[in-house]
Amino acid sequence: MAVLSNDQVDAALPDLPGWERAAGALRRSTKFPTFLDGIDAVCRVAEFAEEKDHHPDIDIRWRTVTFALVTHSAGGITEKDIQMAKEINRILSDQPG
């Protein structure tokens, strides 16, 4: 899979609310009402990621969860990351609370 140019990633960002391009990856941080709400979201994202065999880096800091997407095997952001970001947004929009 081809690595997207910075311009291509920037063109995709308007369709990815909450995401930014930072340090060579797509990143989104979300603050949840409770710690367990964040953990539930991580579990839901992890299930989808496992199904697609494309796994985000996930950082949990109390109620704030940060997802980072980069296709390590390709050496940068690819279309797989754009699609995973869209799916994470869908999963988070379905989050109770």
Side-chain angles (χ1 to χ4, degrees):
M1 181 153 289
V3 172
L4 300 175
S5 70
N6 288 341
D7 288 342
Q8 289 172 308
V9 174
D10 290 344
L13 286 173
D15 294 328
L16 300 172
W19 292 87
E20 64 179 349
R21 181 172 49 85
L26 289 175
R27 295 188 186 281
R28 177 181 175 167
S29 292
T30 303
K31 187 172 184 176
F32 293 90
T34 69
F35 177 74
L36 289 178
D37 288 336
I39 295 300
D40 180 59
V42 167
C43 288
R44 293 171 69 204
V45 168
E47 287 174 6
F48 182 80
E50 190 67 13
E51 182 181 303
K52 294 297 181 184
D53 194 30
H54 190 61
H55 305 89
D57 293 331
I58 302 171
D59 182 56
I60 303 167
R61 306 287 172 140
W62 188 33
R63 297 182 312 163
T64 301
V65 176
T66 301
F67 299 95
L69 295 166
V70 63
T71 304
H72 297 287
S73 61
I77 299 169
T78 67
E79 187 60 35
K80 284 177 81 171
D81 301 303
I82 301 293
Q83 294 308 313
M84 181 61 74
K86 288 178 181 179
E87 187 61 26
I88 290 172
N89 279 359
R90 186 196 64 75
I91 291 167
L92 296 183
S93 71
D94 291 345
Q95 182 71 20

